Amino acid sequence: MSMFETTLDGYAHSNGLRDVNTYYKVFFAICTMLVSLVSQSPVVPLLIFGIVTALIIFKAKISSKFYLKFMAVPFIFALINFIFMAIFFGVGKPLLELGIFNLAVTVDGFNLGFLLLARIMGGFSCLAFLALTIPMTELFSVFEDMKIPQIVIELAMLMYRYIFLFLDEVLTMYHSQETKLGYSSYRKSYKSLGMLASNLFIKTWMKGEQVYVAMQSRCYDGSIKTMSETGTIRNIGARNLILLAVFEVVLSVGTYLTGSLSIF
Amino acid sequence: MNVIETKNIVYEYPDGTKALKDVNFTAEEGKIIALLGPNGAGKSTLFLHFNGILEPSSGEVLVNGESIGYEKKELMKVRQKVGIVFQNPDDQLFAPTVMEDVAFGPMNMDLPEEEVKKRVKSALKRVGMTGFEKKPPHHLSGGQKKRVAIAGILAMHPEIMVLDEPTSGLDPRGASQIMKLLYDLNKEGMTIIISTHDVDLVPIYASKIYILSHGSIIKEGSPQTVFNDVETIRAADLRLPRITHLMEILNKEDHILFGEPYPLTIGEARRRIRQKAQD
Ligand SMILES: Nc1ncnc2c1ncn2[C@@H]1O[C@H](COP(=O)(O)OP(=O)(O)OP(=O)(O)O)[C@@H](O)[C@H]1O
Ligand SMILES: [Mg+2]
């Protein structure tokens, strides 16, 4: 099965950085993402994007094709954002007259748009790092240690499990519709997709009900009690911690120094 | 002693489907009991009465001779005694990892963590799934999911284990491995109730058989008694075990008789054939 999410989950369970301490990876991703988000110039976020991308592809050994696919959606979103910002935002002097409706690309619009584009790409590469190198199941234990409310973790746990069942259901139904030529024309596709969506809703509902019954049978009383993990968290090590601290400080200083830098 | 007994239970689903009509079912302590019945007969519905998930519209359900109370506290006690393994393991496995799923039941019983860990380990060992602790359920095959689902109930140490079609969807080897496991558990004193369509496996393991059809028990007794009543078996859209069918054909078509009643298992058939060959 070449399902997108299955691949994602597969990478998370087996990648070059699988054995690196989970906390270390989480700290790294979150700190770097924060630096990327507060940066006032596009230089540092782009640098972060470059470094994290290199880590993902060369260290974690994630296929670059898959990574590109993963980043395509945020990139398109960021690009559209950038274009709109450049044209409609800002009142500074025009950089480029478009010649229609008096529209023009302004300097501060362009700069702001570009900054956002850089931040989004920097931030998303960190998210990709989280998603591609850490299995969800380990993220849950980290969440628990961070004292995130139980109810949130429970919801996330159940959602994680049911995403895969849900996807299987979608795929099975989609293939069966395809087999019956449900997508042979534009109009048929439209109708088939509608049926799939409504059927899916009902099926998911029923499934939820069944799961609840099965949980009740095992004495479920409204809260999922989880075992505390011991021995799975390897020591991060002083060297690694210092490395991380130095890296983040350099980035932060970088944002400070490049704070007033912009393309135009 | 009867560990589970239903007295004239009737169950009607909210949409008006009468799934059970006056069912009297008993499970004697320390036995393996099989419930046979075609699709839609009401097997799953009956099982959900054994641990109080469904409350009968009329009639009563007794566990260890006591009528089930439907208050929360009572239900918790009943559910520790009666473990149900569901037909579809995807309904049962909900946790992100195998270990967390198996630990779910024991954790709900408020056992100390050390004890839970011990139980999880031994339950997974029992079903042959050691080494899969960290795997998410969606990375398992159907048969593996089924075993983890069984481990999840085993870890609760129930007195009675109820399994809804434990062998469906398994390859022949997987199916007999599961049946072997149930057989061993039974030897250790656990009462086992299974529903199945697999008439070939039933006579090897079960000491009592019930046949459910359209919500009513239409036949009960030892495998020998039940499979002797060929009309009832076929009326319930079931069939004889293959080997019994062969013996029936040999008798009726070719007039070769290996003694009646017809043997139900390969072991028994072999004995009879050898005997005849020696005569
Ligand atoms: N939630 C429900 N609402 C209404 N009717 C139901 C519901 N669940 C089951 N039924 C009906 O009750 C009857 C018994 O269903 P049940 O699931 O107990 O059968 P089963 O013997 O387990 O069948 P199978 O071998 O297919 O699992 C069927 O006619 C079914 O359509
Ligand atoms: Mg059923």
PDB file of all heavy atoms in Angstrom, chain B residues 13 15 17 19 38-45 87 165 197, ligand 1:
ATOM      1  N   TYR B  13     -33.727  -5.295  19.323  1.00  0.00           N
ATOM      2  CA  TYR B  13     -32.951  -4.080  19.061  1.00  0.00           C
ATOM      3  C   TYR B  13     -33.892  -2.890  18.951  1.00  0.00           C
ATOM      4  O   TYR B  13     -35.080  -3.068  18.638  1.00  0.00           O
ATOM      5  CB  TYR B  13     -32.130  -4.237  17.775  1.00  0.00           C
ATOM      6  CG  TYR B  13     -30.812  -4.949  18.002  1.00  0.00           C
ATOM      7  CD1 TYR B  13     -30.622  -6.264  17.604  1.00  0.00           C
ATOM      8  CD2 TYR B  13     -29.758  -4.288  18.626  1.00  0.00           C
ATOM      9  CE1 TYR B  13     -29.407  -6.918  17.825  1.00  0.00           C
ATOM     10  CE2 TYR B  13     -28.546  -4.934  18.847  1.00  0.00           C
ATOM     11  CZ  TYR B  13     -28.376  -6.236  18.448  1.00  0.00           C
ATOM     12  OH  TYR B  13     -27.186  -6.866  18.678  1.00  0.00           O
ATOM     13  N   ASP B  15     -34.508  -0.910  16.745  1.00  0.00           N
ATOM     14  CA  ASP B  15     -35.252  -0.773  15.479  1.00  0.00           C
ATOM     15  C   ASP B  15     -36.319  -1.859  15.327  1.00  0.00           C
ATOM     16  O   ASP B  15     -36.956  -1.964  14.278  1.00  0.00           O
ATOM     17  CB  ASP B  15     -34.280  -0.799  14.287  1.00  0.00           C
ATOM     18  CG  ASP B  15     -33.654  -2.178  14.084  1.00  0.00           C
ATOM     19  OD1 ASP B  15     -33.792  -3.031  14.980  1.00  0.00           O
ATOM     20  OD2 ASP B  15     -33.038  -2.394  13.029  1.00  0.00           O
ATOM     21  N   THR B  17     -35.865  -5.234  15.501  1.00  0.00           N
ATOM     22  CA  THR B  17     -35.385  -6.573  15.148  1.00  0.00           C
ATOM     23  C   THR B  17     -35.376  -7.457  16.392  1.00  0.00           C
ATOM     24  O   THR B  17     -34.739  -7.113  17.394  1.00  0.00           O
ATOM     25  CB  THR B  17     -33.936  -6.515  14.626  1.00  0.00           C
ATOM     26  OG1 THR B  17     -33.837  -5.478  13.662  1.00  0.00           O
ATOM     27  CG2 THR B  17     -33.533  -7.841  14.006  1.00  0.00           C
ATOM     28  N   ALA B  19     -33.760 -10.141  17.916  1.00  0.00           N
ATOM     29  CA  ALA B  19     -32.544 -10.914  17.671  1.00  0.00           C
ATOM     30  C   ALA B  19     -32.489 -12.184  18.504  1.00  0.00           C
ATOM     31  O   ALA B  19     -31.884 -13.163  18.095  1.00  0.00           O
ATOM     32  CB  ALA B  19     -31.317 -10.048  17.931  1.00  0.00           C
ATOM     33  N   PRO B  38     -25.789 -19.740  11.670  1.00  0.00           N
ATOM     34  CA  PRO B  38     -25.478 -19.011  10.443  1.00  0.00           C
ATOM     35  C   PRO B  38     -25.371 -17.506  10.703  1.00  0.00           C
ATOM     36  O   PRO B  38     -25.643 -17.058  11.809  1.00  0.00           O
ATOM     37  CB  PRO B  38     -26.669 -19.315   9.541  1.00  0.00           C
ATOM     38  CG  PRO B  38     -27.788 -19.597  10.484  1.00  0.00           C
ATOM     39  CD  PRO B  38     -27.181 -20.238  11.679  1.00  0.00           C
ATOM     40  N   ASN B  39     -24.976 -16.753   9.678  1.00  0.00           N
ATOM     41  CA  ASN B  39     -24.897 -15.293   9.806  1.00  0.00           C
ATOM     42  C   ASN B  39     -26.248 -14.735  10.213  1.00  0.00           C
ATOM     43  O   ASN B  39     -27.284 -15.151   9.703  1.00  0.00           O
ATOM     44  CB  ASN B  39     -24.476 -14.654   8.487  1.00  0.00           C
ATOM     45  CG  ASN B  39     -23.045 -14.993   8.113  1.00  0.00           C
ATOM     46  OD1 ASN B  39     -22.777 -15.430   7.014  1.00  0.00           O
ATOM     47  ND2 ASN B  39     -22.139 -14.815   9.039  1.00  0.00           N
ATOM     48  N   GLY B  40     -26.210 -13.817  11.150  1.00  0.00           N
ATOM     49  CA  GLY B  40     -27.448 -13.163  11.561  1.00  0.00           C
ATOM     50  C   GLY B  40     -28.293 -13.969  12.518  1.00  0.00           C
ATOM     51  O   GLY B  40     -29.412 -13.581  12.856  1.00  0.00           O
ATOM     52  N   ALA B  41     -27.768 -15.097  13.017  1.00  0.00           N
ATOM     53  CA  ALA B  41     -28.549 -15.948  13.920  1.00  0.00           C
ATOM     54  C   ALA B  41     -28.747 -15.291  15.279  1.00  0.00           C
ATOM     55  O   ALA B  41     -29.734 -15.548  15.965  1.00  0.00           O
ATOM     56  CB  ALA B  41     -27.853 -17.286  14.101  1.00  0.00           C
ATOM     57  N   GLY B  42     -27.798 -14.444  15.667  1.00  0.00           N
ATOM     58  CA  GLY B  42     -27.900 -13.774  16.962  1.00  0.00           C
ATOM     59  C   GLY B  42     -26.775 -14.147  17.916  1.00  0.00           C
ATOM     60  O   GLY B  42     -26.843 -13.862  19.112  1.00  0.00           O
ATOM     61  N   LYS B  43     -25.703 -14.741  17.392  1.00  0.00           N
ATOM     62  CA  LYS B  43     -24.597 -15.182  18.237  1.00  0.00           C
ATOM     63  C   LYS B  43     -23.953 -14.003  18.971  1.00  0.00           C
ATOM     64  O   LYS B  43     -23.797 -14.034  20.195  1.00  0.00           O
ATOM     65  CB  LYS B  43     -23.534 -15.911  17.394  1.00  0.00           C
ATOM     66  CG  LYS B  43     -24.064 -17.141  16.665  1.00  0.00           C
ATOM     67  CD  LYS B  43     -22.980 -17.834  15.865  1.00  0.00           C
ATOM     68  CE  LYS B  43     -22.381 -17.012  14.735  1.00  0.00           C
ATOM     69  NZ  LYS B  43     -23.281 -16.691  13.619  1.00  0.00           N
ATOM     70  N   SER B  44     -23.585 -12.978  18.205  1.00  0.00           N
ATOM     71  CA  SER B  44     -22.917 -11.832  18.832  1.00  0.00           C
ATOM     72  C   SER B  44     -23.848 -11.161  19.834  1.00  0.00           C
ATOM     73  O   SER B  44     -23.414 -10.727  20.907  1.00  0.00           O
ATOM     74  CB  SER B  44     -22.483 -10.817  17.774  1.00  0.00           C
ATOM     75  OG  SER B  44     -21.617 -11.428  16.850  1.00  0.00           O
ATOM     76  N   THR B  45     -25.125 -11.094  19.491  1.00  0.00           N
ATOM     77  CA  THR B  45     -26.093 -10.471  20.394  1.00  0.00           C
ATOM     78  C   THR B  45     -26.172 -11.238  21.709  1.00  0.00           C
ATOM     79  O   THR B  45     -26.167 -10.640  22.783  1.00  0.00           O
ATOM     80  CB  THR B  45     -27.480 -10.431  19.724  1.00  0.00           C
ATOM     81  OG1 THR B  45     -27.347  -9.859  18.426  1.00  0.00           O
ATOM     82  CG2 THR B  45     -28.456  -9.627  20.547  1.00  0.00           C
ATOM     83  N   GLN B  87     -15.544 -10.099  17.615  1.00  0.00           N
ATOM     84  CA  GLN B  87     -15.448 -10.708  16.295  1.00  0.00           C
ATOM     85  C   GLN B  87     -14.389 -10.011  15.442  1.00  0.00           C
ATOM     86  O   GLN B  87     -13.575 -10.654  14.811  1.00  0.00           O
ATOM     87  CB  GLN B  87     -16.829 -10.611  15.637  1.00  0.00           C
ATOM     88  CG  GLN B  87     -17.003 -11.413  14.384  1.00  0.00           C
ATOM     89  CD  GLN B  87     -18.488 -11.568  14.022  1.00  0.00           C
ATOM     90  OE1 GLN B  87     -19.376 -11.118  14.740  1.00  0.00           O
ATOM     91  NE2 GLN B  87     -18.750 -12.195  12.907  1.00  0.00           N
ATOM     92  N   GLU B 165     -16.238 -15.859  17.172  1.00  0.00           N
ATOM     93  CA  GLU B 165     -15.534 -16.309  15.970  1.00  0.00           C
ATOM     94  C   GLU B 165     -14.026 -16.116  16.033  1.00  0.00           C
ATOM     95  O   GLU B 165     -13.455 -15.376  15.240  1.00  0.00           O
ATOM     96  CB  GLU B 165     -16.122 -15.609  14.739  1.00  0.00           C
ATOM     97  CG  GLU B 165     -17.595 -15.903  14.667  1.00  0.00           C
ATOM     98  CD  GLU B 165     -18.213 -15.580  13.328  1.00  0.00           C
ATOM     99  OE1 GLU B 165     -17.466 -15.362  12.370  1.00  0.00           O
ATOM    100  OE2 GLU B 165     -19.432 -15.567  13.268  1.00  0.00           O
ATOM    101  N   HIS B 197     -18.266 -20.853  12.778  1.00  0.00           N
ATOM    102  CA  HIS B 197     -18.889 -21.564  11.656  1.00  0.00           C
ATOM    103  C   HIS B 197     -18.056 -22.791  11.324  1.00  0.00           C
ATOM    104  O   HIS B 197     -18.380 -23.538  10.431  1.00  0.00           O
ATOM    105  CB  HIS B 197     -18.920 -20.706  10.396  1.00  0.00           C
ATOM    106  CG  HIS B 197     -19.552 -19.378  10.576  1.00  0.00           C
ATOM    107  ND1 HIS B 197     -20.900 -19.221  10.647  1.00  0.00           N
ATOM    108  CD2 HIS B 197     -19.017 -18.142  10.687  1.00  0.00           C
ATOM    109  CE1 HIS B 197     -21.179 -17.942  10.800  1.00  0.00           C
ATOM    110  NE2 HIS B 197     -20.054 -17.269  10.831  1.00  0.00           N
TER     111      HIS B 197
HETATM  112  N1  LIG C   1     -27.365  -2.675  16.218  1.00  0.00           N
HETATM  113  C1  LIG C   1     -28.334  -3.390  15.635  1.00  0.00           C
HETATM  114  N2  LIG C   1     -29.540  -2.847  15.374  1.00  0.00           N
HETATM  115  C2  LIG C   1     -30.520  -3.569  14.826  1.00  0.00           C
HETATM  116  N3  LIG C   1     -30.414  -4.856  14.474  1.00  0.00           N
HETATM  117  C3  LIG C   1     -29.258  -5.478  14.703  1.00  0.00           C
HETATM  118  C4  LIG C   1     -28.145  -4.775  15.299  1.00  0.00           C
HETATM  119  N4  LIG C   1     -27.116  -5.641  15.402  1.00  0.00           N
HETATM  120  C5  LIG C   1     -27.560  -6.821  14.907  1.00  0.00           C
HETATM  121  N5  LIG C   1     -28.846  -6.731  14.482  1.00  0.00           N
HETATM  122  C6  LIG C   1     -29.656  -7.810  13.914  1.00  0.00           C
HETATM  123  O1  LIG C   1     -29.791  -8.823  14.892  1.00  0.00           O
HETATM  124  C7  LIG C   1     -29.668 -10.123  14.296  1.00  0.00           C
HETATM  125  C8  LIG C   1     -28.568 -10.898  14.974  1.00  0.00           C
HETATM  126  O2  LIG C   1     -27.330 -10.284  14.713  1.00  0.00           O
HETATM  127  P1  LIG C   1     -25.943 -10.816  15.290  1.00  0.00           P
HETATM  128  O3  LIG C   1     -24.912  -9.821  14.965  1.00  0.00           O
HETATM  129  O4  LIG C   1     -26.136 -11.187  16.712  1.00  0.00           O
HETATM  130  O5  LIG C   1     -25.737 -12.137  14.405  1.00  0.00           O
HETATM  131  P2  LIG C   1     -24.522 -13.170  14.384  1.00  0.00           P
HETATM  132  O6  LIG C   1     -25.090 -14.510  14.655  1.00  0.00           O
HETATM  133  O7  LIG C   1     -23.430 -12.689  15.256  1.00  0.00           O
HETATM  134  O8  LIG C   1     -24.079 -13.122  12.867  1.00  0.00           O
HETATM  135  P3  LIG C   1     -22.617 -13.230  12.176  1.00  0.00           P
HETATM  136  O9  LIG C   1     -22.295 -14.679  12.057  1.00  0.00           O
HETATM  137  O10 LIG C   1     -22.822 -12.620  10.838  1.00  0.00           O
HETATM  138  O11 LIG C   1     -21.659 -12.463  13.042  1.00  0.00           O
HETATM  139  C9  LIG C   1     -29.465  -9.883  12.808  1.00  0.00           C
HETATM  140  O12 LIG C   1     -30.693 -10.054  12.160  1.00  0.00           O
HETATM  141  C10 LIG C   1     -28.994  -8.451  12.715  1.00  0.00           C
HETATM  142  O13 LIG C   1     -29.429  -7.877  11.514  1.00  0.00           O
END
